[in-house]
Amino acid sequence: MRSDVITVQTGSRPTVRDITAEAQAFVSSEGDGLLHVFVPHATAGLAIIETGAGSDDDLLTAIDALLPTDGRWRHRHGSPGHGRDHVLPAFIPPYATVPVLDGRLTLGTWQSICLVDTNGDNPTRQVRFSFLPG
């Protein structure tokens, strides 16, 4: 197994950040196997979705509808509504696994690996890539 960590700047607002290029660069010298992607944070997740056609903004809108930033949350430190950020990984998990064939991610035509971060209090994230040879 080979593993590496990248740092991703997500900023101070909720964001969906495409990390497919970084993932592909990590596996490009590999053969067949699995890429496992993990975010070691309690307030971020990973999604495999289409980006660039509005789906990333639609995802943030859906998160806001499902997990609003209001006073309902018992977890209350940080920005107002921050408790929802701690619930996010139950809906958008902090991990994803993608098959790799001959050093290429086998994503569908419109699929991208995206870091989903709704926590503006923590603008710097770590993402671990692990390659498991087949």
Side-chain angles (χ1 to χ4, degrees):
M1 181 177 85
R2 187 169 72 85
S3 188
D4 196 13
V5 174
I6 64 168
T7 299
V8 179
Q9 298 299 321
T10 56
S12 60
R13 298 179 344 168
T15 189
V16 176
R17 171 76 161 37
D18 187 341
I19 59 170
T20 308
E22 293 91 333
Q24 180 56 57
F26 176 75
V27 301
S28 66
S29 63
E30 304 295 342
D32 296 350
L34 295 173
L35 171 67
H36 185 74
V37 186
F38 179 70
V39 180
H41 298 283
T43 59
L46 292 161
I48 297 178
I49 63 168
E50 177 182 7
T51 60
S55 297
D56 35 357
D57 290 331
D58 289 342
L59 177 58
L60 292 175
T61 299
I63 291 169
D64 283 341
L66 183 63
L67 305 170
T69 55
D70 58 19
R72 73 183 69 198
W73 307 104
R74 292 186 180 116
H75 187 105
R76 294 184 188 252
H77 79 274
S79 299
H82 174 64
R84 72 97 176 243
D85 300 327
H86 286 274
V87 175
L88 178 78
F91 294 90
I92 300 175
Y95 56 86
T97 302
V98 178
V100 176
L101 295 175
D102 195 27
R104 300 282 310 159
L105 297 171
T106 59
L107 294 167
T109 302
W110 303 111
Q111 290 180 315
S112 296
I113 303 169
C114 295
L115 172 63
V116 180
D117 185 4
T118 58
N119 181 5
D121 294 341
N122 187 357
T124 303
R125 298 301 185 154
Q126 305 296 309
V127 178
R128 176 170 296 281
F129 295 135
S130 298
F131 181 76
L132 299 110

